[in-house]
Amino acid sequence: MADKTGIEWTEQTWNPTTGCDRLSPGCDNCYALTMAKRLKGMGAAKYQTDGNPKTSGPGFGVATHASAITEPLRWKKPRKVFVNSMSDLFHPGIHTADLHLIFGVMAATPQHTYQVLTKRHGRMRSLLNDPQFAHMAFHRAKMYGRPDTAARTWPLPNVWLGVSVEDQKWADIRIPALMQTPAAVRFLSCEPLLGPVRLHPGQGQLPDWVIIGGESGRGARPFDPQWAADLIADAHADGAAPFVKQLGSVWARDNGASDAKGGKPADWPEHLRVREYPGTP
């Protein structure tokens, strides 16, 4: 089964693939890499493929799990699903044919909302702008039981696409690629935020949703609450929904917060207690 999660902005995780490689500074303290090593030691079947020691690690090599791909077909209750909390769906090590299957499952289960987050913005943009990719996804959806007479709406109305943004450099690279990708909802995960980021409201660059968070855990880097305040202002200026997830371990330690990750809004300055979702007032 997919896993329940403590991630505040979703309800469940689904990992049809696992494993990844560090790509940019936001990956330096990757929680998933550390967790994969622990799961490998526990004998977890999904985490027995090792990755490149320079960019990945034990149990964190890219692997696709055929039995996990079809999990959502068995879920009756609608849910909000974070896709690949332990991988990157658009990693080059994941075959396009497997992505056809995964998007086919999402097309066949319109009752669920899928949230896909990537640092591989280029491949995401290329594939999802390709009519052949959409055609193959709908072909797989028919194989999974979606009626062929069902409306073929592309982009899929139940799939949200997002990119990770840790600093201004990557914001300026990844956000334009996201905005050039067809999606029902576009979002940013500015976590871990490692420096100030401005979104240039009014220039047609903003997505629908902006998640903001400091870094937590061992080796966490500092987070300035002003970075969150600026992102909230930029989001509101262009009608996007900001969601402050946490202020990070360094802030929590320095301010005597009740949660080690700085994740309890009651501890924060009042102007940062903002948790909005796209499409809500």
Side-chain angles (χ1 to χ4, degrees), residues 52 71 136 147 175 213 225 241 273:
N52 185 326
E71 282 178 353
M136 290 302 299
I175 296 174
R273 299 173 192 171

Side-chain angles (χ1 to χ4, degrees), residues 5-89:
T5 178
I7 300 171
E8 291 88 340
W9 45 264
T10 195
E11 295 172 341
Q12 193 155 351
T13 60
W14 171 43
N15 283 286
T17 76
T18 54
C20 200
D21 289 275
R22 285 174 288 206
L23 186 68
S24 63
C27 304
D28 288 353
N29 296 320
C30 178
Y31 75 91
L33 188 153
T34 301
M35 187 180 297
K37 181 179 179 179
R38 184 165 66 248
L39 290 168
K40 174 180 176 154
M42 294 168 59
K46 278 188 173 182
Y47 301 94
Q48 298 306 310
T49 301
D50 293 340
N52 185 326
K54 293 182 179 180
T55 57
S56 184
F60 207 49
V62 175
T64 299
H65 309 285
S67 61
I69 289 176
T70 57
E71 282 178 353
L73 300 173
R74 299 186 286 275
W75 303 339
K76 302 301 182 185
K77 182 180 177 182
R79 60 198 72 187
K80 198 176 295 173
V81 183
F82 178 30
V83 182
N84 274 10
S85 61
M86 295 293 291
S87 186
D88 186 323
L89 192 61

Side-chain angles (χ1 to χ4, degrees), residues 9-259:
W9 45 264
T10 195
E11 295 172 341
Q12 193 155 351
T13 60
W14 171 43
N15 283 286
T17 76
T18 54
C20 200
D21 289 275
R22 285 174 288 206
L23 186 68
S24 63
C27 304
D28 288 353
N29 296 320
C30 178
Y31 75 91
L33 188 153
T34 301
M35 187 180 297
K37 181 179 179 179
R38 184 165 66 248
L39 290 168
K40 174 180 176 154
M42 294 168 59
K46 278 188 173 182
Y47 301 94
Q48 298 306 310
T49 301
D50 293 340
N52 185 326
K54 293 182 179 180
T55 57
S56 184
F60 207 49
V62 175
T64 299
H65 309 285
S67 61
I69 289 176
T70 57
E71 282 178 353
L73 300 173
R74 299 186 286 275
W75 303 339
K76 302 301 182 185
K77 182 180 177 182
R79 60 198 72 187
K80 198 176 295 173
V81 183
F82 178 30
V83 182
N84 274 10
S85 61
M86 295 293 291
S87 186
D88 186 323
L89 192 61
F90 295 103
H91 189 287
I94 299 171
H95 297 302
T96 300
D98 290 324
L99 292 176
H100 293 153
L101 294 171
I102 292 166
F103 271 83
V105 167
M106 294 192 285
T109 52
Q111 70 272 30
H112 306 313
T113 298
Y114 296 94
Q115 300 159 317
V116 179
L117 179 64
T118 186
K119 288 184 172 71
R120 274 76 180 182
H121 54 278
R123 189 178 187 210
M124 174 187 69
R125 176 178 54 194
S126 176
L127 286 176
L128 297 188
N129 277 293
D130 182 356
Q132 181 63 19
F133 184 87
H135 171 77
M136 290 302 299
F138 285 119
H139 175 73
R140 295 304 184 186
K142 180 182 177 183
M143 180 183 76
Y144 290 132
R146 182 173 173 85
D148 194 43
T149 54
R152 293 193 172 201
T153 303
W154 191 265
L156 295 176
N158 62 327
V159 177
W160 300 6
L161 296 176
V163 293
S164 297
V165 168
E166 62 260 49
D167 55 28
Q168 193 68 55
K169 171 189 172 181
W170 286 105
D172 292 342
I173 293 171
R174 291 182 181 139
I175 296 174
L178 174 66
M179 302 310 293
Q180 294 161 9
T181 303
V185 170
R186 298 181 181 94
F187 68 98
L188 308 181
S189 176
C190 303
E191 184 192 16
L193 194 58
L194 304 178
V197 170
R198 302 309 301 260
L199 299 179
H200 315 301
Q203 297 183 19
Q205 187 183 5
L206 291 195
D208 304 286
W209 195 27
V210 182
I211 302 166
I212 306 159
E215 191 166 49
S216 60
R218 191 173 185 177
R221 289 160 283 187
F223 175 82
D224 185 340
Q226 185 60 43
W227 302 342
D230 289 342
L231 280 169
I232 291 169
D234 286 351
H236 280 158
D238 232 36
F243 186 105
V244 181
K245 180 173 175 283
Q246 62 187 35
L247 301 189
S249 296
V250 174
W251 183 92
R253 180 198 65 205
D254 293 348
N255 291 273
S258 59
D259 176 75

